[in-house]
Amino acid sequence: MTDSITDARPEPVSVFGKQYRGTSIGLLLIVSIVAFEAMSVVTAMPIVVESLDGLAYYAWPFSAFMVANLLGMVLAGELADKLGPTKPMLVGLVAFALGLLVAGTATTMVQLIVGRLVQGLGGGILIVVMYVLIGVSFPPSLHPRVFGLTAIGWVMPGLLGPVVAGSLAQHAHWRLVFLGLLPLVVLGTLLIVPGLRRAPSAAAAPGPVVTSNAYRGGTAPRWPYALLAGVGVVLLQVAGERLDPVAIPVALVGLVSVVVAVRRLLPVGVASAAAGLPAVVLMRGLAAGSFFAVDTLVPLTLSSVHGWSAVAAGLPLTFGALGWSGASWVQGRYPNLPRSVAVSTGMVAVGIASASMAVVAWVPGTAWVAFPAWIFGGIGMGLVMPSLSVLLLENSTDADRGRNSASLQISDALTSSLTIGFGGVLVAAATAGAFGMSTAIGVIDVAMVGIAVVGVLVAPRLRRRAAP
């Protein structure tokens, strides 16, 4: 009798247990590759465009990546729901590798932009399909640990990416920033393929399940709206850079494009923070938008306002990455931590960090505050992001996991683009002499505090499901 009871007892599982080890390592490596590419390209791009005589088109490689990234997210969500994660994951890996190859061998700006387009498409597919793969390959009890693991995948790229990329671009060749990642993509593919083989296909998944969080347009293709959203964000960026009468109609067209697209790309009820999935998707945008808008300005604050060197001004970002990874690890170790409480606590931390950076911008002699502030902000995001990922899967079924994952990433990307663009407009106006740089940066920081406060108010609605 004792033996039968012992046999029935579930064995403890780990993300690095025999069944999950290859998938976990493959996911970690792929996340690290995408993160390193994101961190390193920004550092190397000035040298890249100068060598290709394309300084006048400096923003185009970034805009091309962003538009294709949105398209890849939507396509991945639809394909993963229909076909399962295996084929879309392989397509994303091939596209990302091909983009690296095209960009790394570029001899003209046109080829570089094409490479970034293909990279963006592959990256958008990968980030969404990873959510689907986690949902079908790991039991719910392991989801917090898996998302904590993927968050840690951003740590080393955050610490080493800018340094390595800058050294390669300056002392070796900028092409290595792209081509040097290709062997890692191949290795990540080899590690993750066994896990993909075990993942259920669309044929093995249950039939469609009608959820209470419907999308406008039903099951109609959404990729045209992804393109519309990308074009709208680019138009808003162009308008912000012009600072002339033409900027007004361009900004209006961009804003209308984004609003029309968002209504089709995100679940019904996001604007009103409806309970369940809509609140989760909205919260992802609030968290990413408030944090990254300030994050991009931390080095500028310390260098322009306090006169720090470029290297010293970037150090708080490293401390923020450490805080993020530490909090994500805690999330994984304590999977029963109430998710809505973790998210509200994290948003409070982001708000305090943003307010502290406003003080750094306005008060002389407070530059040192950037270090504890951004550790605190990183801890906040480490609490928020894995929690929202877990809640997304809890609010999804096999029939809509891909579409919901795409919505989460789209909310993140669009809101971050808009808040960072808002910051860019104020910084450009300050550069033109409209007001002081410290004023511009401080206003942006305070505005992001307001967004963080909205996030705290929305957090209690994360776990409540909308009534059918």
Side-chain angles (χ1 to χ4, degrees):
M1 185 68 177
T2 304
D3 292 338
S4 62
I5 294 175
T6 303
D7 293 340
R9 185 179 301 160
E11 296 182 3
V13 292
S14 165
V15 293
F16 291 111
K18 184 177 180 181
Q19 182 180 358
Y20 307 113
R21 186 181 303 127
T23 305
S24 297
I25 296 175
L27 283 171
L28 179 61
L29 187 55
I30 290 172
V31 169
S32 299
I33 293 167
V34 173
F36 187 86
E37 189 274 342
M39 298 287 185
S40 59
V41 167
V42 175
T43 304
M45 192 59 72
I47 296 176
V48 175
V49 297
E50 184 179 357
S51 69
L52 298 176
D53 296 324
L55 194 58
Y57 306 98
Y58 180 83
W60 280 99
F62 298 103
S63 299
F65 184 94
M66 187 270 296
V67 172
N69 203 242
L70 290 174
L71 178 61
M73 291 174 186
V74 173
L75 290 176
E78 295 178 353
L79 291 175
D81 286 338
K82 293 178 181 178
L83 306 175
T86 302
K87 292 180 180 178
M89 175 66 82
L90 294 176
V91 169
L93 288 167
V94 171
F96 192 76
L98 181 60
L100 289 173
L101 180 62
V102 173
T105 58
T107 56
T108 64
M109 279 297 293
V110 172
Q111 184 178 343
L112 177 67
I113 292 169
V114 171
R116 294 287 289 164
L117 274 169
V118 180
Q119 269 184 270
L121 182 66
I125 293 173
L126 288 175
I127 199 67
V128 169
V129 178
M130 280 192 291
Y131 274 71
V132 179
L133 181 62
I134 291 170
V136 301
S137 299
F138 295 87
S141 61
L142 285 182
H143 288 169
R145 295 195 177 193
V146 178
F147 284 116
L149 179 68
T150 57
I152 292 173
W154 283 83
V155 176
M156 291 306 293
L159 295 174
L160 300 179
V163 176
V164 173
S167 299
L168 288 175
Q170 187 170 355
H171 301 295
H173 203 291
W174 63 262
R175 298 186 188 280
L176 294 175
V177 174
F178 298 96
L179 299 180
L181 293 175
L182 283 174
L184 297 180
V185 176
V186 175
L187 178 59
T189 303
L190 294 175
L191 288 170
I192 208 167
V193 162
L196 291 174
R197 289 174 177 169
R198 289 192 297 268
S201 63
V209 177
V210 178
T211 66
S212 58
N213 299 298
Y215 289 80
R216 292 180 178 86
T219 58
R222 298 189 302 159
W223 64 265
Y225 295 96
L227 283 177
L228 182 64
V231 171
V233 171
V234 171
L235 290 176
L236 288 172
Q237 291 175 346
V238 170
E241 294 171 357
R242 292 187 63 93
L243 297 176
D244 60 20
V246 177
I248 298 176
V250 173
L252 288 175
V253 173
L255 183 61
V256 170
S257 300
V258 170
V259 171
V260 171
V262 163
R263 285 176 57 82
R264 285 297 187 97
L265 295 174
L266 302 184
V268 175
V270 167
S272 59
L277 178 66
V280 173
V281 172
L282 173 63
M283 180 60 76
R284 179 61 172 255
L286 295 175
S290 58
F291 180 82
F292 289 116
V294 182
D295 188 69
T296 59
L297 295 175
V298 170
L300 181 64
T301 305
L302 296 175
S303 59
S304 297
V305 178
H306 295 275
W308 285 24
S309 68
V311 174
L315 285 178
L317 302 185
T318 299
F319 283 80
L322 293 174
W324 188 324
S325 62
S328 298
W329 180 84
V330 171
Q331 288 276 298
R333 298 301 300 174
Y334 298 96
N336 294 325
L337 185 68
R339 298 292 155 190
S340 58
V341 174
V343 171
S344 60
T345 303
M347 291 305 293
V348 169
V350 171
I352 293 174
S354 300
S356 300
M357 288 308 303
V359 173
V360 173
W362 284 333
V363 181
T366 58
W368 63 270
V369 175
F371 287 92
W374 225 235
I375 292 175
F376 210 57
I379 290 173
M381 290 298 281
L383 292 172
V384 171
M385 301 301 258
S387 296
L388 293 177
S389 300
V390 172
L391 288 170
L392 176 89
L393 295 184
E394 289 181 0
N395 282 276
S396 301
T397 68
D398 289 334
D400 60 10
R401 188 179 290 116
R403 173 173 285 207
N404 293 345
S405 301
S407 296
L408 191 77
Q409 299 299 328
I410 290 168
S411 178
D412 183 318
L414 282 179
T415 310
S416 298
S417 297
L418 292 174
T419 56
I420 292 172
F422 165 69
V425 171
L426 292 186
V427 169
T431 303
F435 36 74
M437 185 63 72
S438 61
T439 300
I441 295 173
V443 168
I444 298 164
D445 293 339
V446 171
M448 297 309 110
V449 173
I451 294 178
V453 170
V454 174
V456 175
L457 299 176
V458 172
R461 303 181 62 81
L462 293 173
R463 273 200 171 277
R464 302 176 195 162
R465 294 178 181 273

